[in-house]
Amino acid sequence: MAIEEQEDKRISVFDRIIGFMPKFYVIGTILIFVYTLVAMGDLAFESWKNPEEAAIPVHPENPPASAGFQHTLITLIIEPIVTSEFYQIIFNTLFLYLVWILLFLLAPIAFYRLKHFKFFNIEIEIEKQDAAVYEVFSVSSSKMKFAAHLTSEEYQLEISGVIAESKEFKAPLMYTLDSAVDFYSDQLDLNFTYEIYTLNQFKKAKLPKSIKAMLDKSIQTGDPCISNKSNSDSEYYKNFLLHYFENIDGKFVTVLNSYQTEFDTFDKSLIKILHNVVYDYYLQYQYIYDATDSKDK
């Protein structure tokens, strides 16, 4: 049964490429050495044809002192080697072969699960790619599930009660952001805090200049902006996510920050969806409230 399953198994294009790589390496190696033999043969033919031109120039034994000539290691050993066509062919061959070897040492990194890779004194540590990809996919999926929760009837009833009690946009927004903070902490083991500013408050707030500079971009694009610190291990700087929004209640800026959590594209989408959904519910309740109030009058 197992033999039949193996026979029925199709070989993918990816597997064919992996299987062909050793052959490709051997073909390239052969071509490099063929180039060397051809170049040396051509050099030997030229030397035989024109023996006078192929002669290696000899430095004079007693060069004039005015020329400032000195018998140094470079002029006596290095210079003849560098100017020699024979040695140039050797150096070109070694360089091409070194590049070819390095290419096929690095190529498997993209295809196989490696933990350590060392080339001369350069050591590269490679994490488990499958686990990393799965973790990213799992976290991103969870964030989108929370976004889907915002459109559920259960959440709509919750937020309607908050809107009814406060009758302002900031209250349901804070309620939803608090839910996001709890979700990130409980489900994803990620932590962040947030602050909601009016536009004037944001301009006066004590925030890094780089974060305040993101406001113009968020206003122009209508999308959140991210600024993650370059050194993720640093405990003195924060990661920021900024989103500008404008509605009937005014102009506001939401700023998320965290020392450990790095914000990504999914966070940007989630925050934008969160603001839009909350505002839609807010407008719906305001419409219902105004219609009910006018009817009672």
Side-chain angles (χ1 to χ4, degrees), residues 114-133:
L114 302 178
K115 292 183 178 179
H116 294 280
F117 170 75
K118 190 170 184 178
F119 182 74
F120 295 115
N121 291 327
I122 303 174
E123 184 173 358
I124 304 173
E125 184 174 351
I126 305 169
E127 299 179 354
K128 295 181 179 179
Q129 296 181 3
D130 293 345
V133 171

Side-chain angles (χ1 to χ4, degrees), residues 123-272:
E123 184 173 358
I124 304 173
E125 184 174 351
I126 305 169
E127 299 179 354
K128 295 181 179 179
Q129 296 181 3
D130 293 345
V133 171
Y134 175 78
E135 182 179 358
V136 172
F137 178 78
S138 178
V139 171
S140 302
S141 299
S142 297
K143 293 176 182 179
M144 291 301 100
K145 287 181 181 179
F146 181 77
H149 168 70
L150 298 179
T151 60
S152 65
E153 294 183 1
E154 179 184 358
Y155 171 76
Q156 187 173 2
L157 292 174
E158 292 180 14
I159 204 68
S160 297
V162 176
I163 297 173
E165 292 179 1
S166 62
K167 296 181 181 180
E168 64 176 2
F169 176 71
K170 189 174 180 179
L173 179 60
M174 293 178 61
Y175 176 85
T176 309
L177 285 171
D178 287 338
S179 300
V181 170
D182 294 338
F183 176 83
Y184 270 58
S185 178
D186 298 338
Q187 301 296 326
L188 307 177
D189 196 25
L190 301 174
N191 298 291
F192 71 88
T193 58
Y194 71 90
E195 189 69 40
I196 302 174
Y197 303 92
T198 63
L199 188 58
N200 291 332
Q201 289 174 342
F202 177 80
K203 292 179 179 180
K204 297 178 181 179
K206 294 182 179 180
L207 292 169
K209 293 182 179 179
S210 59
I211 306 306
K212 290 192 172 184
M214 293 194 302
L215 176 63
D216 292 336
K217 184 177 180 181
S218 183
I219 293 175
Q220 293 174 1
T221 61
D223 295 325
C225 298
I226 292 175
S227 175
N228 289 321
K229 55 189 177 184
S230 56
N231 183 5
S232 59
D233 296 328
S234 175
E235 298 180 355
Y236 302 100
Y237 299 96
K238 292 182 178 180
N239 303 312
F240 288 91
L241 188 155
L242 179 147
H243 182 49
Y244 169 85
F245 60 97
E246 184 177 349
N247 55 37
I248 58 176
D249 285 358
K251 300 177 180 179
F252 301 90
V253 181
T254 299
V255 179
L256 279 59
N257 62 82
S258 175
Y259 283 105
Q260 297 179 343
T261 301
E262 292 188 357
F263 300 108
D264 55 26
T265 304
F266 288 96
D267 296 315
K268 291 173 59 176
S269 300
L270 179 59
I271 291 301
K272 187 173 182 178

